[in-house]
Amino acid sequence: MNLSLQQITRGCQLAWLGSVLTFKNRHLYKHSYVRTFWYLVGASVILYLVTYIILLIPLKILQFFLYLFSSDYNDHDFLENTNSWLINHVFNLPFLGLLFIRYIYPETLDSLFIESLRNIDFVYIKNHKEEDEDELRPPYASALERYDYGFNHWQETKQYLIRTGNQLKKVIAVYFLSLLPFVGGFVYPIASAFALVNSLGYVPAIIVGILMSITPGTKSFAIIFLETLYSSRALMRELLEPYFGRIQYDSETKRKWFREREGILFGFSIVFYPLIRLPLVGMLFYGVAQAATALVLVKTTDPPPPPSQLSDTKLDHHYRDPREKKRE
């Protein structure tokens, strides 16, 4: 079971400790973070407008025709509420737009991540200055900076749009299937169980689906649950891009890496996810989350070896299982 309570709690703790380290980092606050914050403000405002327009224009046209041909004001209020609900909870477009910021200018968020790693190394050495140098772990920031940050704007943007498109297609399909008579009430419980199979196993996932099916009024809860689960995974994928942009390996190894740390990553992301979704100030917390992600990396992986020594065998050794007890 990857989504254990212990791992989720550990992820929440790392979110808090990483945020504390971020705000204590004077260099980050005076230079990198301030610059990144204003960059995120400008970019996110533009992207929020774009993502709203993509869905709002057809819905507003529909609302206009309804206003012309219907005299029932309850229909108008219902459609207005539906517009807001679809954008913010079903399609989640503002959040996806905020994640797209990385593909416009990734260097800013990457520098924020690396600077946070340097600060973690500094605090680690300061806290262990009385110990033998041979017993200390190597500095993480300098080890990671040996790797080139290979970011192909067009290719990465294309992959992001494909992933987002596939996610939206699934969300749209599940949403409209849930509107069908008789079987619609079972769609979200089944989707929830399916989403949890890899994390909890078949039996616990099926139990969750059954409980959602027989409990009245669980549709809204299931929608929020699925939205949070998939969005938190998407969030962690983007926050860890400065790492994966340097350490390249095949998709199967990458899935294994995420699967072994799923509970910790989920606990970390659910702390920041509701904060990032706040209007206007969400980009502030996105920057904090990017910096705090460095602590998750340090606590769940060893510093990478020099690029010339990185082989498949050493790759497996480098990505240690986070459940192994390690001296902090």
Side-chain angles (χ1 to χ4, degrees):
M1 182 183 293
N2 297 325
L3 280 177
S4 65
L5 181 61
Q6 181 181 5
Q7 283 206 4
I8 294 175
T9 302
R10 179 57 173 162
C12 294
Q13 291 174 343
L14 291 178
W16 167 253
L17 293 174
S19 300
V20 171
L21 286 175
T22 297
F23 286 110
K24 284 185 176 180
N25 187 352
R26 295 180 180 180
H27 180 76
L28 191 66
Y29 180 76
K30 292 180 179 179
H31 301 283
S32 301
Y33 189 69
V34 173
R35 184 175 64 250
T36 303
F37 170 72
W38 288 113
Y39 160 74
L40 290 173
V41 168
S44 61
V45 168
I46 295 173
L47 288 170
Y48 266 61
L49 291 175
V50 171
T51 52
Y52 269 91
I53 290 172
I54 289 174
L55 191 58
L56 269 182
I57 286 180
L59 290 176
K60 285 297 183 182
I61 293 174
L62 178 61
Q63 188 175 13
F64 174 73
F65 282 106
L66 181 64
Y67 177 80
L68 290 180
F69 299 104
S70 174
S71 59
D72 190 349
Y73 289 98
N74 291 329
D75 292 341
H76 306 161
D77 294 338
F78 172 77
L79 185 57
E80 185 67 32
N81 294 333
T82 302
N83 291 350
S84 176
W85 186 68
L86 286 173
I87 292 171
N88 291 288
H89 296 288
V90 177
F91 298 120
N92 210 5
L93 289 179
F95 176 76
L96 295 175
L98 182 60
L99 294 187
F100 186 68
I101 289 176
R102 176 179 303 283
Y103 300 91
I104 299 177
Y105 190 59
E107 288 79 5
T108 302
L109 291 170
D110 181 69
S111 64
L112 185 66
F113 178 82
I114 293 298
E115 175 56 38
S116 183
L117 271 180
R118 291 196 190 99
N119 183 60
I120 291 172
D121 287 338
F122 173 77
V123 172
Y124 175 80
I125 294 174
K126 181 179 178 181
N127 292 339
H128 297 82
K129 59 183 179 181
E130 296 182 359
E131 297 184 17
D132 188 4
E133 186 175 349
D134 295 334
E135 297 179 359
L136 300 179
R137 67 161 176 81
Y140 210 113
S142 57
L144 192 60
E145 284 184 299
R146 293 192 186 104
Y147 295 79
D148 294 329
Y149 183 37
F151 194 93
N152 187 319
H153 283 266
W154 292 110
Q155 184 64 26
E156 296 295 336
T157 301
K158 177 183 176 182
Q159 292 300 321
Y160 174 79
L161 293 176
I162 290 175
R163 291 195 304 269
T164 303
N166 292 334
Q167 180 180 345
L168 287 177
K169 284 189 291 186
K170 293 177 182 178
V171 170
I172 293 172
V174 171
Y175 173 70
F176 283 106
L177 286 174
S178 70
L179 301 178
L180 295 175
F182 304 112
V183 298
F186 299 99
V187 171
Y188 274 105
I190 293 174
S192 300
F194 182 78
L196 291 172
V197 166
N198 291 331
S199 302
L200 302 180
Y202 285 99
V203 175
I206 292 173
I207 293 175
V208 170
I210 293 174
L211 290 176
M212 285 187 175
S213 300
I214 63 178
T215 305
T218 56
K219 179 178 179 180
S220 298
F221 171 76
I223 291 174
I224 295 173
F225 168 75
L226 286 175
E227 171 200 336
T228 303
L229 182 63
Y230 287 120
S231 297
S232 64
R233 289 174 179 174
L235 174 62
M236 288 310 307
R237 182 186 181 94
E238 304 308 326
L239 291 177
L240 286 165
E241 181 57 33
Y243 178 68
F244 292 123
R246 290 178 169 84
I247 308 296
Q248 301 287 337
Y249 52 100
D250 59 77
S251 57
E252 179 58 34
T253 306
K254 191 172 184 178
R255 280 193 295 270
K256 179 182 177 183
W257 193 98
F258 274 98
R259 190 162 53 246
E260 290 175 346
R261 294 155 179 81
E262 186 174 17
I264 294 176
L265 299 181
F266 181 71
F268 180 89
S269 61
I270 59 174
V271 172
F272 286 106
Y273 174 65
L275 300 174
I276 291 173
R277 291 207 56 192
L278 293 175
L280 297 181
V281 296
M283 69 289 292
L284 170 66
F285 293 107
Y286 186 57
V288 175
Q290 180 65 89
T293 304
L295 185 63
V296 176
L297 188 66
V298 169
K299 295 300 184 182
T300 59
T301 65
D302 293 320
S308 59
Q309 299 179 12
L310 190 62
S311 63
D312 292 338
T313 302
K314 293 183 179 180
L315 186 68
D316 292 336
H317 173 72
H318 164 58
Y319 300 122
R320 71 170 187 268
D321 191 325
R323 291 164 290 191
E324 296 177 2
K325 291 186 177 180
K326 191 85 172 179
R327 180 173 61 87
E328 302 292 341

